[in-house]
């Protein structure tokens, strides 16, 4: 078995996000992107120059992906999915499938190996017992398809290296599931349990490394866990914050582990003990690397 360790903490970006999320690596520009959902801001950090740019957004951003156009993002805003040009500040709506559901918003999302953008919703404020969230996909034509329903907080989207297996978490259930993926249509089948967390720890953002191991940021647990392909725990990285939220692999060799975090929901006494809550952390990986992040193929 390959020896894998997490080395030193290379860098902390002291942004103090209320709810940092949706981190991704931009290979073309060697930059890290992420969002602070509650502040409606997208961040871009250029690794070599350590330059940080911020882009105020017209709505809260649950997640987003890169496209072939360097200034255009595909964004899961709280109220729907759209193309957004960060320079022109122009917005083109693609889908608002839950516009009629008061209290829901879009949450975690990611681009699959075929270049489709997936994003799920969450029940942010419950208005009725029948209210639920769902998982959607925007295909190469810009059409929106619903793939999962009866969720509470859609989270942890990522795919196996061959793109044939989807990982997905419904955070309040403390469970991460696997699904078979039809490569052409994106249809999901054969749901099975992959891993579970304890009652006070919630699975948040995930990604899969080049060896096919899943890394999951665990809200409430102060840790990122690497799972073997059979669901067994392989490695636990402890962080100096209670709420890590999402992860991505970056750097020229994809051997950096990038972790966002949140200070939202922490009590004042906890914030005093966790001065780095809401910051972004960059760790060196030894013996493993991630995969290239696809761009939207639309």
């Amino acid at each position: 078995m390959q020896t894998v360790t997490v080395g030193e903490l290379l860098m902390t970006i002291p942004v103090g996000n209320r709810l940092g999320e949706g981190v991704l690596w931009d290979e073309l520009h060697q930059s890290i992107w992420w969002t602070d959902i509650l502040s409606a801001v997208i961040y871009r950090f250029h690794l070599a120059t350590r330059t940080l740019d911020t882009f105020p957004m017209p709505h809260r951003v649950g997640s987003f992906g890169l496209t072939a156009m360097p200034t255009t993002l595909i964004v899961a805003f709280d109220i729907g999915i759209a193309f957004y040009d960060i320079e022109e500040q122009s917005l083109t709506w693609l889908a608002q499938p839950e516009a009629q559901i008061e209290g829901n918003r879009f949450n975690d999302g990611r681009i699959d190996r075929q270049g489709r953008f997936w994003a799920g919703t969450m029940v942010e404020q419950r208005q009725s017992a029948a209210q639920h969230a769902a998982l959607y996909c925007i295909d190469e034509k810009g059409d929106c398809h619903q793939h999962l329903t009866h969720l509470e907080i859609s989270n942890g989207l990522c795919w196996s290296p061959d793109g044939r297996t989807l990982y997905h978490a419904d955070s309040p259930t403390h469970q991460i599931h696997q699904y078979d993926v039809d490569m052409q249509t994106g249809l999901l089948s054969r749901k099975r349990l992959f891993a579970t967390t304890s009652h006070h720890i919630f699975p948040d953002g995930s990604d899969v490394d080049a060896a096919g191991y899943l890394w999951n940021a665990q809200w409430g647990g102060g840790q990122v866990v690497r799972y073997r392909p059979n669901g067994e725990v392989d490695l636990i990285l402890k962080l100096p914050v209670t709420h890590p939220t999402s992860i991505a692999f970056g750097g020229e060799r994809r051997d950096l582990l990038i972790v966002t975090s949140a200070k939202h929901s922490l009590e004042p006494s906890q914030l005093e003990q966790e001065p780095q809550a809401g910051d972004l952390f960059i760790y060196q990986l030894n013996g493993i690397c991630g995969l290239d992040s696809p761009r939207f193929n639309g």
Side-chain angles (χ1 to χ4, degrees), residues 54-177:
T54 57
F55 304 96
M57 303 301 283
H59 306 279
R60 294 180 298 166
V61 175
S63 53
F64 62 99
L66 304 174
T67 73
M69 302 294 291
T71 64
T72 299
L73 307 173
I74 183 167
V75 184
F77 290 107
D78 51 3
I79 58 174
I81 300 172
F83 287 127
Y84 186 78
D85 188 301
I86 58 174
E87 288 190 356
E88 300 294 332
Q89 298 183 350
S90 60
L91 187 152
T92 305
W93 288 109
L94 294 169
Q96 294 178 280
E98 296 190 0
Q100 77 287 358
I101 304 178
E102 184 180 356
N104 277 17
R105 72 160 171 85
F106 267 96
N107 193 49
D108 186 57
R110 193 180 285 270
I111 295 173
D112 70 13
R113 308 287 180 216
Q114 287 71 45
R116 296 171 292 219
F117 181 64
W118 295 66
T121 56
M122 63 174 284
V123 179
E124 186 173 42
Q125 295 180 337
R126 180 163 293 284
Q127 306 294 327
S128 71
Q131 184 179 351
H132 58 259
L135 175 65
Y136 300 90
C137 175
I138 301 290
D139 65 20
E140 66 279 0
K141 298 178 182 177
D143 296 331
C144 182
H145 307 274
Q146 185 186 90
H147 287 278
L148 297 176
T149 187
H150 294 95
L151 304 173
E152 290 289 323
I153 301 177
S154 181
N155 230 327
L157 279 168
C158 59
W159 288 263
S160 59
D162 64 6
R164 297 182 182 277
T165 301
L166 169 74
Y167 294 89
H168 179 265
D170 189 3
S171 293
T173 69
H174 306 279
Q175 296 178 336
I176 302 172
H177 285 96

Side-chain angles (χ1 to χ4, degrees), residues 13-19 36 39 43 261 263 275-280:
I13 304 175
V15 285
N17 292 156
R18 295 168 64 193
L19 185 53
D36 183 354
S39 298
Y43 292 80
S261 68
K263 60 183 179 182
Q276 293 178 298
D279 291 349
L280 183 139

Side-chain angles (χ1 to χ4, degrees), residues 10 19 33 37 39 50 74-75 80-81 135 159 183 218 222-223 239-240 250 261 273 278 297:
L10 295 180
L19 185 53
W33 295 77
I37 295 178
S39 298
R50 302 195 177 188
I74 183 167
V75 184
I81 300 172
L135 175 65
W159 288 263
M183 302 288 279
Q218 301 196 337
Q223 61 191 20
L239 280 86
S261 68
Q273 297 173 1
N297 185 28

Side-chain angles (χ1 to χ4, degrees), residues 13-14 25 41 54 57 79 109 191 225 244 253:
I13 304 175
W25 173 251
V41 173
T54 57
M57 303 301 283
I79 58 174
K191 177 182 179 181
V225 178
R253 295 181 295 274

